[in-house]
Amino acid sequence: QVQLVESGGGLVQAGGSLRLSCAPAGRTFNSFTLGWFRQAPVKEREFVAAITWSHSTYYADSVKGRVVISRNDANHTVYLQMNSLKPEDTAVYYCAAVRGYSNYAKPDGYDYWGQGTQVTVSS
C-alpha cells in the first residue's frame, strides 16, 4: 500500500502561481508513474499531468504551457508548478501513482491516490 500526501493548495488570484507537492508516506516511488488529476464540483475527475519513472512528461491540453510536472527521486517528491492560473483551474487536485507505466491520462490507470488539496483561483 502506498499513501500519498499532497500539499501546497490554497487561494490565489487569477494570473498567480502555486506549487503542489506530493510524497509517499514511508516508501520510495522511483519506479512509479506519477500523475496529477483535478476534480471541480459536479465534474468528473480529469487528467492534468503525468511523469514516468524515466521522466517523460505528459500534459492535458487545457494546462499545456502553464503547468510543469517534475519529480525529485532523491527526496521522493513530485511537484506540479502551476502558473498563469485561471478561475477555471479551481478544483481539488489529486496526486496518483502506479508502478511502472500505465494509461497515464485515465484515473483507472493508477493504483494509489492522495486525499486531494484544494486550489481556488479568484477572478
Side-chain angles (χ1 to χ4, degrees):
Q1 188 71 14
V2 177
Q3 290 183 316
L4 303 175
V5 181
E6 300 122 330
S7 60
L11 173 64
V12 64
Q13 289 189 327
S17 298
L18 280 176
R19 189 176 79 158
L20 306 183
S21 301
C22 173
R27 67 162 298 152
T28 66
F29 52 33
N30 292 11
S31 62
F32 284 64
T33 290
L34 304 164
W36 286 96
F37 287 75
R38 65 186 181 186
Q39 189 166 16
V42 303
K43 290 190 175 181
E44 292 189 353
R45 193 167 296 191
E46 66 172 2
F47 170 71
V48 177
I51 185 166
T52 68
W53 62 268
S54 59
H55 293 228
S56 296
T57 57
Y58 305 91
Y59 297 96
D61 289 342
S62 59
V63 302
K64 203 170 289 184
R66 300 189 295 121
V67 164
V68 177
I69 187 171
S70 61
R71 61 191 292 167
N72 185 327
D73 292 332
N75 65 12
H76 314 299
T77 303
V78 60
Y79 303 99
L80 189 71
Q81 177 67 44
M82 302 189 293
N83 304 315
S84 302
L85 283 162
K86 305 174 183 179
E88 51 264 46
D89 293 318
T90 295
V92 177
Y93 283 71
Y94 296 90
C95 174
V98 62
R99 191 184 303 275
Y101 291 103
S102 76
N103 186 345
Y104 60 82
K106 299 293 185 182
D108 59 9
Y110 295 84
D111 294 326
Y112 307 105
W113 291 84
Q115 80 287 353
T117 185
Q118 177 70 46
V119 171
T120 302
V121 184
S122 63
S123 57

PDB file of all heavy atoms in Angstrom, residues 10-18 82 85-86 90 119-123:
ATOM      1  N   GLY A  10      -4.272  26.137  -2.124  1.00  0.00           N
ATOM      2  CA  GLY A  10      -4.639  27.381  -1.455  1.00  0.00           C
ATOM      3  C   GLY A  10      -5.445  28.279  -2.357  1.00  0.00           C
ATOM      4  O   GLY A  10      -5.936  27.863  -3.409  1.00  0.00           O
ATOM      5  N   LEU A  11      -5.573  29.514  -1.918  1.00  0.00           N
ATOM      6  CA  LEU A  11      -6.321  30.531  -2.653  1.00  0.00           C
ATOM      7  C   LEU A  11      -5.338  31.475  -3.323  1.00  0.00           C
ATOM      8  O   LEU A  11      -4.408  31.974  -2.683  1.00  0.00           O
ATOM      9  CB  LEU A  11      -7.214  31.305  -1.690  1.00  0.00           C
ATOM     10  CG  LEU A  11      -7.958  32.523  -2.248  1.00  0.00           C
ATOM     11  CD1 LEU A  11      -8.952  32.092  -3.315  1.00  0.00           C
ATOM     12  CD2 LEU A  11      -8.658  33.271  -1.114  1.00  0.00           C
ATOM     13  N   VAL A  12      -5.543  31.721  -4.610  1.00  0.00           N
ATOM     14  CA  VAL A  12      -4.646  32.602  -5.360  1.00  0.00           C
ATOM     15  C   VAL A  12      -5.478  33.407  -6.347  1.00  0.00           C
ATOM     16  O   VAL A  12      -6.538  32.948  -6.802  1.00  0.00           O
ATOM     17  CB  VAL A  12      -3.556  31.768  -6.080  1.00  0.00           C
ATOM     18  CG1 VAL A  12      -4.160  30.845  -7.112  1.00  0.00           C
ATOM     19  CG2 VAL A  12      -2.486  32.648  -6.668  1.00  0.00           C
ATOM     20  N   GLN A  13      -5.018  34.588  -6.672  1.00  0.00           N
ATOM     21  CA  GLN A  13      -5.699  35.413  -7.664  1.00  0.00           C
ATOM     22  C   GLN A  13      -5.373  34.931  -9.071  1.00  0.00           C
ATOM     23  O   GLN A  13      -4.314  34.322  -9.307  1.00  0.00           O
ATOM     24  CB  GLN A  13      -5.298  36.876  -7.508  1.00  0.00           C
ATOM     25  CG  GLN A  13      -5.864  37.539  -6.269  1.00  0.00           C
ATOM     26  CD  GLN A  13      -5.629  39.041  -6.262  1.00  0.00           C
ATOM     27  OE1 GLN A  13      -4.613  39.509  -6.778  1.00  0.00           O
ATOM     28  NE2 GLN A  13      -6.550  39.788  -5.683  1.00  0.00           N
ATOM     29  N   ALA A  14      -6.274  35.199  -9.978  1.00  0.00           N
ATOM     30  CA  ALA A  14      -6.039  34.858 -11.382  1.00  0.00           C
ATOM     31  C   ALA A  14      -4.712  35.464 -11.843  1.00  0.00           C
ATOM     32  O   ALA A  14      -4.397  36.621 -11.518  1.00  0.00           O
ATOM     33  CB  ALA A  14      -7.184  35.361 -12.243  1.00  0.00           C
ATOM     34  N   GLY A  15      -3.953  34.669 -12.576  1.00  0.00           N
ATOM     35  CA  GLY A  15      -2.636  35.097 -13.020  1.00  0.00           C
ATOM     36  C   GLY A  15      -1.512  34.700 -12.090  1.00  0.00           C
ATOM     37  O   GLY A  15      -0.330  34.804 -12.455  1.00  0.00           O
ATOM     38  N   GLY A  16      -1.873  34.227 -10.908  1.00  0.00           N
ATOM     39  CA  GLY A  16      -0.873  33.853  -9.925  1.00  0.00           C
ATOM     40  C   GLY A  16      -0.359  32.431 -10.139  1.00  0.00           C
ATOM     41  O   GLY A  16      -0.708  31.757 -11.115  1.00  0.00           O
ATOM     42  N   SER A  17       0.472  32.003  -9.185  1.00  0.00           N
ATOM     43  CA  SER A  17       1.118  30.694  -9.283  1.00  0.00           C
ATOM     44  C   SER A  17       0.975  29.929  -7.981  1.00  0.00           C
ATOM     45  O   SER A  17       0.839  30.517  -6.901  1.00  0.00           O
ATOM     46  CB  SER A  17       2.614  30.861  -9.592  1.00  0.00           C
ATOM     47  OG  SER A  17       2.814  31.490 -10.831  1.00  0.00           O
ATOM     48  N   LEU A  18       1.007  28.605  -8.104  1.00  0.00           N
ATOM     49  CA  LEU A  18       1.050  27.716  -6.954  1.00  0.00           C
ATOM     50  C   LEU A  18       1.921  26.521  -7.315  1.00  0.00           C
ATOM     51  O   LEU A  18       1.993  26.131  -8.481  1.00  0.00           O
ATOM     52  CB  LEU A  18      -0.348  27.194  -6.592  1.00  0.00           C
ATOM     53  CG  LEU A  18      -1.294  28.075  -5.788  1.00  0.00           C
ATOM     54  CD1 LEU A  18      -2.643  27.387  -5.642  1.00  0.00           C
ATOM     55  CD2 LEU A  18      -0.722  28.409  -4.421  1.00  0.00           C
ATOM     56  N   MET A  82       2.189  25.411 -11.137  1.00  0.00           N
ATOM     57  CA  MET A  82       1.095  25.960 -11.930  1.00  0.00           C
ATOM     58  C   MET A  82       1.234  27.470 -12.010  1.00  0.00           C
ATOM     59  O   MET A  82       1.285  28.147 -10.975  1.00  0.00           O
ATOM     60  CB  MET A  82      -0.253  25.583 -11.302  1.00  0.00           C
ATOM     61  CG  MET A  82      -0.459  24.078 -11.166  1.00  0.00           C
ATOM     62  SD  MET A  82      -2.116  23.631 -10.671  1.00  0.00           S
ATOM     63  CE  MET A  82      -2.138  24.293  -9.006  1.00  0.00           C
ATOM     64  N   LEU A  85      -2.559  31.074 -13.468  1.00  0.00           N
ATOM     65  CA  LEU A  85      -3.768  30.361 -13.071  1.00  0.00           C
ATOM     66  C   LEU A  85      -5.022  31.125 -13.453  1.00  0.00           C
ATOM     67  O   LEU A  85      -5.049  32.367 -13.450  1.00  0.00           O
ATOM     68  CB  LEU A  85      -3.746  30.093 -11.565  1.00  0.00           C
ATOM     69  CG  LEU A  85      -2.823  28.933 -11.155  1.00  0.00           C
ATOM     70  CD1 LEU A  85      -2.494  28.995  -9.674  1.00  0.00           C
ATOM     71  CD2 LEU A  85      -3.466  27.603 -11.516  1.00  0.00           C
ATOM     72  N   LYS A  86      -6.058  30.357 -13.784  1.00  0.00           N
ATOM     73  CA  LYS A  86      -7.332  30.905 -14.203  1.00  0.00           C
ATOM     74  C   LYS A  86      -8.430  30.424 -13.243  1.00  0.00           C
ATOM     75  O   LYS A  86      -8.283  29.359 -12.627  1.00  0.00           O
ATOM     76  CB  LYS A  86      -7.670  30.418 -15.620  1.00  0.00           C
ATOM     77  CG  LYS A  86      -6.605  30.711 -16.663  1.00  0.00           C
ATOM     78  CD  LYS A  86      -6.971  30.070 -17.998  1.00  0.00           C
ATOM     79  CE  LYS A  86      -5.891  30.300 -19.035  1.00  0.00           C
ATOM     80  NZ  LYS A  86      -6.232  29.661 -20.340  1.00  0.00           N
ATOM     81  N   THR A  90      -9.840  26.140 -10.748  1.00  0.00           N
ATOM     82  CA  THR A  90     -10.316  25.847  -9.405  1.00  0.00           C
ATOM     83  C   THR A  90     -10.841  24.418  -9.322  1.00  0.00           C
ATOM     84  O   THR A  90     -11.690  24.006 -10.115  1.00  0.00           O
ATOM     85  CB  THR A  90     -11.431  26.831  -9.002  1.00  0.00           C
ATOM     86  OG1 THR A  90     -10.873  28.142  -8.924  1.00  0.00           O
ATOM     87  CG2 THR A  90     -12.030  26.462  -7.656  1.00  0.00           C
ATOM     88  N   VAL A 119      -7.444  23.852  -4.632  1.00  0.00           N
ATOM     89  CA  VAL A 119      -6.886  25.024  -5.304  1.00  0.00           C
ATOM     90  C   VAL A 119      -8.053  25.906  -5.716  1.00  0.00           C
ATOM     91  O   VAL A 119      -8.965  25.451  -6.420  1.00  0.00           O
ATOM     92  CB  VAL A 119      -6.054  24.632  -6.538  1.00  0.00           C
ATOM     93  CG1 VAL A 119      -5.676  25.870  -7.347  1.00  0.00           C
ATOM     94  CG2 VAL A 119      -4.812  23.863  -6.120  1.00  0.00           C
ATOM     95  N   THR A 120      -8.034  27.149  -5.277  1.00  0.00           N
ATOM     96  CA  THR A 120      -9.092  28.091  -5.615  1.00  0.00           C
ATOM     97  C   THR A 120      -8.461  29.319  -6.253  1.00  0.00           C
ATOM     98  O   THR A 120      -7.564  29.932  -5.667  1.00  0.00           O
ATOM     99  CB  THR A 120      -9.887  28.510  -4.375  1.00  0.00           C
ATOM    100  OG1 THR A 120     -10.439  27.347  -3.751  1.00  0.00           O
ATOM    101  CG2 THR A 120     -11.024  29.453  -4.755  1.00  0.00           C
ATOM    102  N   VAL A 121      -8.914  29.654  -7.455  1.00  0.00           N
ATOM    103  CA  VAL A 121      -8.398  30.800  -8.180  1.00  0.00           C
ATOM    104  C   VAL A 121      -9.507  31.834  -8.283  1.00  0.00           C
ATOM    105  O   VAL A 121     -10.557  31.580  -8.876  1.00  0.00           O
ATOM    106  CB  VAL A 121      -7.903  30.406  -9.585  1.00  0.00           C
ATOM    107  CG1 VAL A 121      -7.274  31.609 -10.275  1.00  0.00           C
ATOM    108  CG2 VAL A 121      -6.910  29.251  -9.494  1.00  0.00           C
ATOM    109  N   SER A 122      -9.270  32.992  -7.699  1.00  0.00           N
ATOM    110  CA  SER A 122     -10.275  34.049  -7.711  1.00  0.00           C
ATOM    111  C   SER A 122     -10.060  34.969  -8.911  1.00  0.00           C
ATOM    112  O   SER A 122      -8.925  35.206  -9.330  1.00  0.00           O
ATOM    113  CB  SER A 122     -10.214  34.849  -6.415  1.00  0.00           C
ATOM    114  OG  SER A 122      -8.969  35.494  -6.302  1.00  0.00           O
ATOM    115  N   SER A 123     -11.155  35.503  -9.419  1.00  0.00           N
ATOM    116  CA  SER A 123     -11.060  36.384 -10.589  1.00  0.00           C
ATOM    117  C   SER A 123     -10.866  37.821 -10.170  1.00  0.00           C
ATOM    118  O   SER A 123     -10.980  38.192  -9.018  1.00  0.00           O
ATOM    119  CB  SER A 123     -12.326  36.247 -11.429  1.00  0.00           C
ATOM    120  OG  SER A 123     -13.458  36.547 -10.659  1.00  0.00           O
TER     121      SER A 123
END
